Amino acid sequence: MKLFETTATAGHEQVLFCNDQASGLKAIIAIHDSRLGAAMGATRLWPYESEVAALTDALRLSRGMTYKAACANIPMGGGKAVIIAKPEQKTCELLQAYGRFIERLNGRFITGQDINLTPQDVRQINRETKYVVGTQEKSGGPAPVTAIGVLLGMKAAAKYRFGSDNLKGLKVAVQGLGNVGQHLCDWLHQNEVKLFVSDINQAKVSKVARLYGATAVEPEQVYGLDVDIFAPCAMGAILNTQTISQMKASIIAGSANNQLLDEQVHGEMLTDQNILYCPDYVINAGGLINVYHELIGYQEKKAISHVHSIYDTLLELFKKAETTGMTTHKASMQLAEERITQAEQAQMLVSA
Ligand code: NAD
């Protein structure tokens, strides 16, 4: 990988490689853009098969955070960190060593909980640095609010595609019944949808099927289901040539990050198949909005009201995509760039 060429092309400002011999910590912190404020992004712990794979993930996810913050009208930058480890290698020493690296950045990077980290883990990191959000004592963790944002996004897409944001009677398939997926199923059940669910963990599938009367589906069958909405809430890159060609859903609205394997090719493939795609970093911004409100003094009402802006932003994006002929993904990137430029100009006016 050509490091400087890669980071310059995607617009990254800084990448840190953190190594702590005593605890065995190996982590990468990527700061994509801090023009509007400190870079925010949760930390993911994953046994990457190679260092290049870890770096690629950190670079891609941190760039997504910049766009996510901008589309959510949050005056913060984008960053992301990955710890290269198996979950069983996670120790208090390793997490605290990681916390010390963050503290040394002196607020330039603010982090929280992502895959394979628990609120307890975040508290270990928090022992060494104050630049942590999303601990349970503060705003209650990001997943429940992320699920609310996905529900609102789904409603906006239904409004745009079917003329009504009432989800009652629609068929919705949820892939992944983790923290976000289970909260989303709860909301969808309350909205009286016909629910189809899949997960590689059979116990989670049985639990959700029992609680909400959902139909259980084998993981590989979820893409070809005859449903109105597909909600990917598991892992990334699930929108690819093989899966899109099976799809019968009219709308894709889910929380997973980096859903498109190739942003351009698969974004266009969805448009060609007349599938309305809710760009991932727009629809899954609820958790980020919630933790941002921790930073400015948490008030639940204000945070949830901010999350409701996801509905309007998506409607704006769908219109923009339709009138310009762009994919919704491209339209969201353009919207983010516009908002960053406007906010930067406003900051310059204030400081002039
Ligand atoms: P999680 O780890 O709690 O849940 C993921 C679930 O997906 C697990 O139940 C897992 O068994 C299941 N899964 C894995 N592979 C699968 C497959 N092939 N088929 C079906 N199910 C599979 O994660 P989460 O916090 O619920 O987040 C879900 C997704 O949303 C992730 O991509 C995450 O990056 C993204 N996201 C989460 C948040 C948040 O607030 N937690 C915010 C933004 C984005």
Side-chain angles (χ1 to χ4, degrees), residues 60 63 260-268 327 329 333:
R60 194 172 174 198
R63 177 169 159 264
L260 297 164
L261 176 64
D262 184 304
E263 290 169 3
Q264 194 178 335
V265 173
H266 299 115
E268 281 169 9
T327 66
H329 180 81
M333 284 174 70

Side-chain angles (χ1 to χ4, degrees), residues 46-241:
W46 195 257
Y48 291 96
E49 60 195 26
S50 69
E51 289 166 5
V52 170
L55 178 60
T56 305
D57 212 22
L59 293 178
R60 194 172 174 198
L61 289 164
S62 58
R63 177 169 159 264
M65 289 305 295
T66 300
Y67 296 134
K68 186 187 290 203
C71 285
N73 276 320
I74 292 176
M76 305 289 290
K80 193 81 186 180
V82 298
I83 297 176
I84 306 169
K86 295 181 185 148
E88 58 270 25
Q89 291 171 316
K90 192 172 58 176
T91 59
C92 294
E93 292 73 27
L94 180 140
L95 294 167
Q96 287 169 19
Y98 173 61
R100 288 191 288 278
F101 277 104
I102 296 175
E103 183 63 19
R104 272 177 237 146
L105 287 169
N106 209 21
R108 195 164 142 63
F109 175 64
I110 299 170
T111 198
Q113 173 201 345
D114 195 33
I115 294 173
N116 284 326
L117 287 190
T118 63
Q120 291 85 333
D121 296 333
V122 175
R123 281 199 285 275
Q124 289 298 332
I125 299 169
N126 203 185
R127 286 173 67 157
E128 299 290 338
T129 177
K130 55 188 168 298
Y131 302 113
V132 170
V133 287
T135 56
Q136 263 180 344
E137 292 84 357
K138 294 179 182 171
S139 71
V145 187
T146 300
I148 294 175
V150 174
L151 177 79
L152 290 162
M154 239 179 227
K155 281 175 171 279
K159 172 92 181 154
Y160 200 76
R161 182 46 62 93
F162 307 132
S164 164
D165 63 10
N166 186 347
L167 301 178
K168 186 176 176 179
L170 292 183
K171 287 183 270 179
V172 182
V174 178
Q175 177 190 48
L177 304 172
N179 291 317
V180 179
Q182 290 197 27
H183 283 286
L184 179 63
C185 286
D186 191 25
W187 283 113
L188 291 172
H189 178 65
Q190 291 179 42
N191 278 263
E192 300 180 61
V193 308
K194 290 182 187 136
L195 204 48
F196 297 79
V197 293
S198 86
D199 199 293
I200 48 171
N201 180 326
Q202 197 47 47
K204 290 183 181 178
V205 175
S206 304
K207 178 183 160 192
V208 173
R210 192 181 63 245
L211 278 175
Y212 307 123
T215 304
V217 181
E218 290 301 319
E220 59 284 0
Q221 283 172 1
V222 75
Y223 304 107
L225 282 182
D226 187 8
V227 291
D228 302 293
I229 302 174
F230 172 53
C233 299
M235 61 293 168
I238 32 75
L239 300 177
N240 51 55
T241 306

